[in-house]
Every structure is written in C-alpha cells, then in structure tokens.
C-alpha cells in the first residue's frame, strides 16, 4: 500500500475535526484517507460501467424494429411465416422419433419371439404363404392333401403318414 501524502493526512484530520469536533491520530487519518481513495476509484469504475451500460442500452434501442400491421390477418400471416419453419421442423422431428421408437419396440418384440421360440425361423414360409381361415370362432391353418403330381407348396399342402397316424406339414428344406 502506498502511504498517502502528509498533506492529505492533514486535510483528512482537519475535515474530521471540523465535522465531529474531535482530533484523530495519524493511523486513523491514514486509514480514512486510504479508504476514501479506494472509494473514489470504485466510484469512478462504477460510473464508467453505468456509462457503458447506458451506451449499450441506447444502441439496442436503436436496433429495435417496430412492426405495424394493417389488420389481424396480416399480423397472423407474418407470425406464421416467422414460426412455421420451426414448428414444421419440430413436428417432423417428433414424428421421426415416434416412428423410430415404435419400430424399435416392434423389433424388440419380434426378437423376443425369435429368442423364445427357437423353431420360429422354420415357420417363415408357412407364415408368408399359409392361408388362415375362421371356423367355429377359431382360427385354422388351411391345408390340402399333397397332390400325386406337382410340387409341394409350403403352407398349402400336408402329407398324411398312415404308419405314424399323423399329419406332416412341409416347412421347407434345410
């Protein structure tokens, strides 16, 4: 800390004595002088900041554009023109997220079925080509006997095994 000039100390002591009617010692005078100098510096800095804020406020005020419309429709269309691109982009993003989440959930469900039923891939052609009919409030896979001539149609034909007394449904070759 720089010590104040002796002249300033004397002035401070004199001001204090004139104002309050008491004498103060050198240390108190030095402290009051230093404090006064710091407050003067602070006051100058605050004054500069206020001036800079006022200049910035005036500059911003000068940049403001005032819009005046002839009727409500004109104002509405102006507002739509300003906000519509953002609204459309927001809606498109929301729809995209919905579709992605929905497909993701469907994928998870299908993967769960494939993991749970290890034979599910073998039924692929029956699922694609099979004909489902409703009979007595039940759903059935409709199949016909294998013809004597022609190709086996997966999801359409069956073979009756009389020895095993069972119906065999072709799933395709491995």
């Amino acid at each position: 800390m720089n010590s104040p000039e002796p002249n300033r100390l004397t002035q401070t002591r004199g001001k204090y004595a004139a104002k309050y009617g008491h004498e103060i010692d050198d240390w108190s005078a030095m402290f009051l002088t230093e404090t006064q100098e710091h407050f003067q510096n602070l006051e100058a800095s605050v004054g500069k900041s206020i001036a800079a804020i006022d200049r910035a406020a005036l500059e911003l005020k000068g940049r403001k554009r005032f819009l005046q419309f002839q009727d409500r429709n004109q104002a509405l269309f102006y507002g739509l023109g300003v906000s519509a691109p953002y609204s459309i982009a927001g809606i498109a993003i929301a729809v995209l997220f919905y579709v992605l989440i929905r497909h993701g959930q469907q994928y998870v469900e299908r993967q769960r079925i494939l993991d749970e039923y290890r034979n599910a891939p073998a039924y692929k052609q029956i699922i694609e080509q099979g004909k489902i009919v409703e009979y007595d409030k039940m759903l059935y896979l409709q199949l016909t006997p294998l013809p004597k001539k022609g190709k086996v149609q997966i999801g359409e034909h069956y073979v009756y095994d009389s020895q095993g007394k069972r119906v065999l449904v072709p799933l395709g070759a491995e």
Side-chain angles (χ1 to χ4, degrees):
M1 245 192 314
N2 297 338
S3 64
E5 301 173 16
N7 246 359
R8 294 214 38 194
L9 290 177
T10 306
Q11 286 176 351
T12 302
R13 286 173 64 191
K15 282 181 190 176
Y16 187 83
K19 188 171 184 178
Y20 298 108
H22 292 306
E23 290 283 326
I24 58 171
D25 63 349
D26 287 342
W27 283 106
S28 297
M30 190 181 320
F31 175 73
L32 287 173
T33 304
E34 284 289 325
T35 305
Q36 185 179 10
E37 285 178 8
H38 286 295
F39 274 116
Q40 286 173 348
N41 289 340
L42 183 61
E43 190 176 358
S45 296
V46 169
K48 288 178 185 176
S49 297
I50 290 172
I53 289 171
D54 287 342
R55 281 193 307 275
L58 283 174
E59 187 178 320
L60 284 175
K61 210 174 201 181
R63 289 184 183 175
K64 219 185 268 185
R65 286 188 322 158
F66 292 100
L67 299 174
Q68 193 167 2
F69 301 102
Q70 294 174 356
D71 59 6
R72 288 179 157 214
N73 287 339
Q74 192 179 26
L76 174 70
F77 288 123
Y78 176 80
L80 287 175
V82 169
S83 63
Y86 300 111
S87 299
I88 292 170
I91 290 169
I93 289 171
V95 167
L96 179 65
F97 275 121
Y98 173 76
V99 168
L100 289 174
I101 289 170
R102 180 138 172 100
H103 282 301
Q105 289 171 342
Q106 288 174 349
Y107 174 79
V108 167
E109 177 63 18
R110 289 176 182 155
Q111 190 63 43
R112 184 194 62 78
I113 290 171
L114 286 175
D115 292 342
E116 190 173 324
Y117 302 104
R118 60 181 174 81
N119 291 334
Y123 291 103
K124 179 182 176 197
Q125 288 184 309
I126 287 182
I127 292 169
E128 289 173 351
Q129 299 171 7
K131 182 178 180 185
I132 305 281
V133 294
E134 185 176 343
Y135 180 72
D136 286 337
K137 297 183 182 179
M138 291 276 295
L139 294 177
Y140 293 94
L141 176 63
Q142 179 179 318
L143 300 172
T144 58
L146 184 66
K148 301 276 186 214
K149 293 183 181 177
K151 292 176 86 178
V152 174
Q153 293 292 320
I154 295 172
E156 191 176 316
H157 296 128
Y158 70 89
V159 176
Y160 181 71
D161 178 16
S162 59
Q163 288 177 337
K165 294 189 180 184
R166 58 186 178 175
V167 172
L168 301 174
V169 177
L171 297 177
E174 288 190 30

